[in-house]
Amino acid sequence: FFILAATEFILVKENINMGKTNQSSVTEFVLLGLSGYPEVEAIYFVLVLCMYLVILLGNGVIIIVSVCDTHLHTPMYFFLSNLSFLDICYTSSSIPLFLSSFLTSKKTISFSGCGVQMFLSFAMGATECVLLSMMAFDRYVAICNPLRYSIIMSRTSYVPMAAGSWIAGGVNSMLQTSLAMRLPFCGDNVINHFTCEILAVLKLACADISINIISMAIANIIFLVVPVLFIFVSYVFILSTILKIPSAEGKRKAFSTCSAHLTVVIIFYGTILFMYAKPKAKDSSGADKVQVTDKIISLFYGVSLRNKDVKEAMKNVLCQKCSSERM
């Protein structure tokens, strides 16, 4: 990710040196979105709206069920509830504005609104990275040290762990956003994206952004590389322990306890790799071209999570409600 950040820095520096001399103050940004694809706007509007409703419903169900079913009052589902809330916050920071742009002629976002959107997306992303590493530790203790699980992962432990993840993500986001929004911006205020994605915004700056790139590279190491390494090492120990279990049924149950976490990890980091590690297309002028699929995927990096325990818990809640109504 440091290499990716350095690459973006070179691209941004090239844009700055191409003659951005107009120092007029920018009070708002134009979000290009699907302006170049008017023939498919209606289709994408319906698609995005449906996906947004699914995310709200799916993650809302997970939060409600995790609270209502006492069987799910465990560290893993507490972390999953936090992730579901993160998904709702992340998508709600951008999707409503994106949908409203279809219904009105307004395609702009204020300077302060752009900063708020950038802050929320950064905070949610960094917090999720830390939470995923906390969940990996939870699975490590559950499988590798089950006799001490209730002591190590007590409520006095996992609640501060989640709170620390939110605080760390918020502090990092505040730093990155403040560094970006203090920059002067020239007359070019068109962002080729649905949201105020920070790299797209930095390309419009009329000043040296080396500090921004360095701080982002450091943040990437802390919030992306370190958690990934921590998760990897945790699962090396987990896999080693599972393989020592003599029965096939025992191995299956052990693997199933990690399924929810592994699903989140694969979706989250898979989306990041798809978005930033694949080669970028070039337009006729040689500039980077952001594909429509990239834009859509960036809006929905978080998807609703479902597994057997949550489905079973939902049935229990509904059954309890039906029983109380009959009485």
Side-chain angles (χ1 to χ4, degrees):
F1 292 100
F2 178 84
I3 296 175
L4 291 174
T7 303
E8 292 293 341
F9 170 69
I10 294 173
L11 292 173
V12 173
K13 291 296 290 181
E14 289 177 354
N15 287 340
I16 293 174
N17 293 332
M18 288 176 63
K20 289 185 176 180
T21 56
N22 183 4
Q23 294 297 319
S24 59
S25 176
V26 171
T27 59
E28 63 181 13
F29 293 100
V30 178
L31 298 175
L32 198 57
L34 290 173
S35 299
Y37 307 88
E39 68 279 0
V40 296
E41 282 191 347
I43 297 175
Y44 276 107
F45 174 82
V46 175
L47 175 63
V48 170
L49 177 61
C50 291
M51 291 179 71
Y52 181 52
L53 293 177
V54 167
I55 283 179
L56 292 181
L57 177 62
N59 286 296
V61 166
I62 289 177
I63 295 173
I64 293 172
V65 170
S66 297
V67 172
C68 295
D69 195 321
T70 55
H71 294 94
L72 298 183
H73 290 179
T74 63
M76 173 55 67
Y77 284 97
F78 178 77
F79 290 135
L80 278 177
S81 297
N82 275 263
L83 290 178
S84 294
F85 184 67
L86 277 171
D87 289 346
I88 292 174
C89 291
Y90 177 82
T91 52
S92 297
S93 69
S94 56
I95 300 298
L97 177 64
F98 167 69
L99 293 175
S100 67
S101 68
F102 283 103
L103 305 177
T104 64
S105 58
K106 184 179 180 181
K107 306 290 184 181
T108 61
I109 183 172
S110 66
F111 188 84
S112 58
C114 185
V116 171
Q117 195 176 79
M118 191 184 302
F119 171 81
L120 289 174
S121 63
F122 244 109
M124 299 304 103
T127 301
E128 181 153 352
C129 289
V130 181
L131 274 175
L132 289 176
S133 64
M134 297 296 100
M135 293 172 71
F137 177 74
D138 172 75
R139 292 301 83 197
Y140 164 77
V141 176
I143 294 176
C144 299
N145 201 351
L147 297 179
R148 299 191 61 198
Y149 179 77
S150 59
I151 299 175
I152 298 175
M153 295 303 298
S154 64
R155 186 175 181 82
T156 56
S157 298
Y158 66 79
V159 172
M161 288 165 66
S165 301
W166 283 91
I167 293 172
V171 171
N172 173 62
S173 182
M174 187 177 298
L175 173 63
Q176 303 300 334
T177 303
S178 61
L179 286 175
M181 301 309 287
R182 70 175 177 81
L183 294 169
F185 294 90
C186 303
D188 185 7
N189 65 338
V190 178
I191 300 175
N192 186 20
H193 215 282
F194 290 134
T195 64
C196 286
E197 200 266 339
I198 189 166
L199 293 177
V201 173
L202 289 179
K203 290 179 181 180
L204 304 179
C206 308
D208 182 14
I209 61 168
S210 56
I211 294 179
N212 301 77
I213 297 301
I214 293 173
S215 65
M216 287 178 62
I218 295 174
N220 283 337
I221 293 173
I222 296 174
F223 290 96
L224 283 174
V225 178
V226 173
V228 166
L229 291 176
F230 186 85
I231 293 170
F232 176 77
V233 172
S234 298
Y235 272 95
V236 168
F237 286 106
I238 289 172
L239 182 60
S240 176
T241 301
I242 290 176
L243 292 177
K244 294 177 182 178
I245 298 176
S247 67
E249 180 65 18
K251 291 179 180 179
R252 187 191 64 80
K253 288 183 178 180
F255 274 119
S256 67
T257 62
C258 303
S259 60
H261 179 241
L262 283 175
T263 300
V264 183
V265 170
I266 292 171
I267 291 173
F268 181 71
Y269 288 105
T271 302
I272 291 177
L273 288 174
F274 178 84
M275 286 294 300
Y276 295 106
K278 74 185 184 93
K280 295 185 177 180
K282 301 284 184 178
D283 60 20
S284 58
S285 63
D288 288 329
K289 181 180 180 181
V290 181
Q291 301 295 332
V292 177
T293 53
D294 293 359
K295 297 177 182 179
I296 293 291
I297 290 174
S298 69
L299 291 175
F300 296 104
Y301 85 95
V303 297
S304 301
L305 304 171
R306 289 170 176 80
N307 57 46
K308 185 174 65 176
D309 292 339
V310 172
K311 290 179 180 178
E312 189 65 31
M314 187 61 183
K315 291 179 183 178
N316 293 338
V317 172
L318 292 176
C319 289
Q320 291 174 7
K321 183 178 180 181
C322 291
S323 299
S324 61
E325 288 178 352
R326 290 174 182 174
M327 295 177 61

